Amino acid sequence: MEATKRFRMAMELMRRQDPQAQEDGFGMLRAHVGEHVEELVVEFRHEGDHGLRCWLLELIGEARSQRALPLLVEQLHGDDEALRDWARRGLELLDTREARQELWRELANGQ
């Protein structure tokens, strides 16, 4: 299946009311998360549903992509505790010098 079509289908499933469809969409994206980092960031920035935003940030972190660093850092220092937790996890998975510096900065600031 074409990557763009797969991404749109997965997002459609994740937005349904059926929990199994949501899980299926999440799993579909998780298997190809590295191919969709930019699209996931765009979806995250435009999504209003908190639960879906958490899932999107989880997927973004699992991509282990340097392209996700700015969003992960932004969310690490944000007001939403759940998003901070997913950003922290994403930075831990990224495990670059910059990611470790941000995690250290957060720890030093007592968050």
Side-chain angles (χ1 to χ4, degrees), residues 5-105:
K5 184 176 180 181
R6 177 180 53 238
F7 182 81
R8 289 286 143 223
M9 177 187 267
M11 288 305 303
E12 180 182 316
L13 289 170
M14 289 175 68
R15 287 190 171 101
R16 289 191 182 166
Q17 296 300 312
D18 174 24
Q20 184 59 56
Q22 293 171 341
E23 290 286 343
D24 291 346
F26 182 83
M28 187 184 299
L29 277 178
R30 177 180 262 166
H32 302 278
V33 73
E35 300 170 39
H36 300 292
V37 175
E38 290 85 5
E39 295 154 296
L40 287 165
V41 169
V42 168
E43 290 292 330
F44 176 85
R45 294 212 181 274
H46 292 99
E47 183 56 50
D49 180 80
H50 184 262
L52 187 49
R53 290 187 90 216
C54 288
W55 262 7
L56 291 169
L57 196 57
E58 178 181 357
L59 289 168
I60 291 165
E62 286 187 15
R64 294 175 171 91
S65 172
Q66 187 67 24
R67 297 170 300 195
L69 182 66
L71 177 65
L72 294 172
V73 170
E74 174 188 316
Q75 294 305 311
L76 181 68
H77 300 295
D79 295 330
D80 186 306
E81 184 176 349
L83 295 176
R84 279 196 316 266
D85 289 344
W86 285 117
R88 186 177 304 109
R89 176 76 175 127
L91 290 166
E92 290 168 353
L93 290 171
L94 183 56
D95 195 30
T96 63
R97 181 176 169 268
E98 297 91 352
R100 288 188 301 274
Q101 285 176 332
E102 289 299 328
L103 290 167
W104 175 253
R105 193 170 292 129

